[in-house]
Amino acid sequence: MSIVRRFGMGLLAPLTAVAAAMLITSIVISLSGSSAIEFWEIIFSRPADRVFVNIVNQTSLIYLAGLAAAIGFRMNLFNIGVEGQYTLASYAAASLAGAALFPGLLNVFMSLLLAVAVGAAWAGIAGVLKVTRGVSEVISTIMLNAIAITLVGYLLNRYGVKVGNGVRTEVIPDGSRVDGWFPFAEPDGPVWALGLLAVLGGIGFWVLLNKTRFGFDLRATGASQSAAVASGVNVNKMVVYSMLMSGGIAGLIWMPSLFGAAYSYGTTFQAFLGFTGIAVALLGRNQPVGILVGAVLFAFLNEQSNRLTLETDISANVVQITQGVIVLAVVVAYEVVRRYRTKLEQRSVTETLEADKTAKGKAVSA
Amino acid sequence: MRLSTRIAAVGAAAVLALAGCARDDNPGNGTSGGSVDLDCDAGGDGPKVGLAYDVGGRGDQSFNDSAATGMQRAVEELGATCTEGEAQDGEAESAREDRLRQMADGDYNPIIGIGFAYSEAVDAVAPDYPEVNFAVVDGYDPTPDEPNENVAYLGFAEHEGSFLVGVAAAEKTEADHVGFVGGVNNGLIQKFQAGYEAGVKAVNPDIEVDVTYIEQSNLSGFADPAGGKAAAAGMYDGGADIVYHAAGGSGSGVFDAAVEAGEGKWAIGVDSDQYLTATEEQKKHILTSMLKRVDVATFDMIQSVADGKPLTSYQTYNLEDDGVGYSTSGGFIDDITDVINGYAEQIKSGAVKVPETP
């Protein structure tokens, strides 16, 4: 297959998926008696400066969530527990940073370290349970989500600082805040400096998977466990390690926001990123660049949806329909394209064989 | 390749299922359950109001709908017009701020955040728009040392209203066993619990009170009818015959649980007179509702801006000024209103002090 054709094939699936999602969303909006054109006009309008900043910031969070999920997926581990891992890690890091045991940036560094450790440990429980007891990680991580979220709520109520009707952890001192850069006017907000964690994470993810022994083992185990075992990979070790790494990255998800805007864990905590991450990892086929595209798309849709309820009678929930359909359509489209490609390959192999045969036949008859 | 497709399919199903768990944005799907009619554009040249709802939005038949009722009154009486925004479950804090900023940029004034979760966002946005008046229902100033002069925090004495429905529950229970379902275990909802328990105990200290919260801190507890139903069903199964909910949109699940528990099992509504918006089936089981007059507070705020004397700082609506109360729709408690009103008088006179924390 020529390079152009292969490239076209690669784009075919995601493009079909987005087109299908747009079509279905439009139908849903029309059925509910609103104008689909109005919807797309708002979604595709140029974002205001501050919305643009928000999209960049949200992309960094969603991208980290996508990476966390993708590490597990590459090894056939369904880490559904990203949600619980980052919730617990965010609470722990916010508590430590708020306690201000360390000065300035050291405080930030130690808090990030703690976030990684807590996220990894929480995911590690599921890994160890799978290896030693054969508990499916899908079940255990879902359970651990519920436990983590309830536990954080309990700890927050018990040890948090009450402010009015809200509860939060101690506010991070001025010296340990990491705002970032202001690309526009100050009210439009900063692009969070710790968003760089997402960039580092993406590069690290690619290097790890493609340039290290560990990455090779991980991909091998994901592709075929029996083959990996036969070539000397210790699968149990790989399961635990990849859960630890998945959880470790999950721990970082909310950190850019914590140190850049929220400064404490409370009502400003952003929940559900763990599930968004799973969707985005699927969308990006667990590839660093693909996940980035997915993260940008989701962040863009989320942020643009605010204008919907203000300017039209369309519910912002429609955007969730769009996102859900995109994910499903991508899965379906990839499968269809895969089958089509297999068929093409088979045909080209047959053609080559046929050509060989006739050529040989000619040679013999000559 | 095939394996990864299978992974993707399972994963996608899991995402959608799990995300779906916490999202029920269509509370209007009960057979006759209606939401408040609010026509934002019907007004004239009164104030342009920005209404930012909390999770659940208009149609929750509870908290947010009550604000919409107050808005509708302002449309009719003050010629106000409005725009509505709604918080999404799990949205970024920046999205909340952006919603308020878009309203401010659109020259809406006042801008009212419905729900304490807007407190931080209003605190961040208000200083950038000194000429715009903001209000947060149930709100608070997260930075008390830097007060905002253009923000009003509209609070309620929920414990007083809850005390009264607690009295109603204690008078009506035959099992001497009642329950309380809270949406989220925070200081605000604990006020409901504290008042309710105090009311029950004031009538009969021997009555057992079960308490459950749907979520510990996750705000999705206010939009989780399935969670509300599970919590209430557990109480009815355990022998309680009256359950009071302070769980916003999750309350419809509590009503459903009462319906399924059958004759003699009651639920008590919250915020709005929920008898009026419930389904026919549910109506037979809604004993009364604790009224939290978010509509009064909303209207007051709009009127104050129309009069050129905008409300600022902390405002409390209590029993004394009809900011809280109870409903009698359905006529199930007509025989005990004297008792309840007796306690109400004692609270107003200060003879009975209602605790704010359990």
Side-chain angles (χ1 to χ4, degrees), chain A residues 253-275:
Chain A
I253 293 174
W254 194 60
M255 291 303 105
S257 176
L258 172 63
F259 288 99
Y263 307 134
S264 69
Y265 182 106
T267 53
T268 51
F269 177 70
Q270 186 180 353
F272 288 116
L273 281 170
F275 297 126

Side-chain angles (χ1 to χ4, degrees), chain A residues 50 58 76 78 80 157 163 165 168 268 270-272 275 278 282 306-307 309-310 316-317 320 335 338, chain B residues 1-3 5 7-8 15 18 25 83-84 88 90 92-93 95 98-99 102 105 138 140 142 185 216:
Chain A
R50 63 165 180 275
Q58 284 296 305
N76 276 353
F78 306 114
I80 310 290
N157 282 334
V163 189
N165 285 324
R168 65 178 181 214
T268 51
Q270 186 180 353
F272 288 116
F275 297 126
I278 294 175
L282 292 173
N306 234 341
R307 277 180 59 196
T309 45
L310 297 181
N317 297 325
Q320 287 168 6
E335 179 63 18
R338 187 192 67 83
Chain B
M1 200 59 183
R2 170 150 273 178
L3 195 61
T5 307
I7 297 177
V15 173
L18 291 172
D25 297 304
T83 188
E84 302 167 279
Q88 300 293 304
E93 183 67 11
D98 181 53
R99 186 169 307 121
Q102 285 191 24
D105 289 341
D138 290 341
Y140 58 93
N185 189 2
Q216 282 302 312

Side-chain angles (χ1 to χ4, degrees), chain A residues 187, chain B residues 96-102 104 109 111 118-136 140-143 146-153 301 312-313:
Chain B
R96 275 183 196 271
E97 286 177 22
D98 181 53
R99 186 169 307 121
L100 300 171
R101 284 182 196 274
Q102 285 191 24
N109 187 9
I111 295 169
Y118 276 101
S119 300
E120 300 267 359
V122 165
D123 194 58
V125 172
D128 292 334
Y129 299 92
E131 73 289 353
V132 176
N133 296 290
F134 293 85
V136 192
Y140 58 93
D141 189 350
T143 53
E146 299 166 35
N148 298 306
E149 284 172 6
N150 55 339
V151 183
Y153 306 97
M301 180 68 199
T312 54
S313 184

Side-chain angles (χ1 to χ4, degrees), chain A residues 50-51 54 58 73 75-78 80 83 138 142 145 149-154 156-157 162-168 187-188 192 222-224 262 264-265 267-273 275-276 278-279 282 285-286 302-303 305-307 309-311 315-317 320 324-325 327-328 331 334-335 338-339 341, chain B residues 1-16 18-19 22-23 25 51 83-103 105 108 116-117 120-121 128-129 137-144 158 185-191 215-220 314:
Chain A
R50 63 165 180 275
V51 176
N54 292 345
Q58 284 296 305
F73 288 166
M75 223 191 91
N76 276 353
L77 278 175
F78 306 114
I80 310 290
E83 182 74 19
V138 177
I142 290 176
N145 276 347
I149 290 165
T150 309
L151 183 66
V152 167
Y154 171 79
L156 197 60
N157 282 334
K162 284 207 167 31
V163 189
N165 285 324
V167 194
R168 65 178 181 214
D188 294 331
W192 296 326
S224 164
S264 69
Y265 182 106
T267 53
T268 51
F269 177 70
Q270 186 180 353
F272 288 116
L273 281 170
F275 297 126
T276 311
I278 294 175
L282 292 173
R285 307 296 289 170
N286 303 324
N302 282 342
E303 291 295 326
S305 69
N306 234 341
R307 277 180 59 196
T309 45
L310 297 181
E311 294 174 28
S315 165
N317 297 325
Q320 287 168 6
V325 176
V327 173
L328 281 179
V331 175
Y334 270 107
E335 179 63 18
R338 187 192 67 83
R339 288 188 185 169
R341 185 186 277 170
Chain B
M1 200 59 183
R2 170 150 273 178
L3 195 61
S4 66
T5 307
R6 205 155 60 201
I7 297 177
V10 172
V15 173
L16 295 174
L18 291 172
R23 290 181 186 153
D25 297 304
L51 271 189
T83 188
E84 302 167 279
E86 181 185 330
Q88 300 293 304
D89 226 347
E91 72 178 1
E93 183 67 11
S94 59
R96 275 183 196 271
E97 286 177 22
D98 181 53
R99 186 169 307 121
L100 300 171
R101 284 182 196 274
Q102 285 191 24
M103 289 175 175
D105 289 341
Y108 288 95
F116 75 99
E120 300 267 359
D128 292 334
Y129 299 92
V137 175
D138 290 341
Y140 58 93
D141 189 350
T143 53
E158 294 93 349
N185 189 2
N186 60 27
L188 176 64
I189 305 302
Q190 284 164 7
K191 273 166 88 180
E215 288 286 342
Q216 282 302 312
S217 71
N218 196 324
L219 295 183
S220 63
Y314 286 89

Side-chain angles (χ1 to χ4, degrees), chain B residues 24 27 31 48 64 68 117 127 180-181 185 259 264 270 315 351:
Chain B
D24 186 339
T31 43
K48 277 178 76 182
N64 291 296
F180 171 83
V181 175
N185 189 2
V259 170
V270 79
Q315 308 286 334

Side-chain angles (χ1 to χ4, degrees), chain B residues 47-64:
Chain B
K48 277 178 76 182
V49 185
L51 271 189
Y53 297 114
D54 208 338
V55 172
R58 179 144 66 84
D60 70 348
Q61 304 178 4
S62 177
F63 186 67
N64 291 296

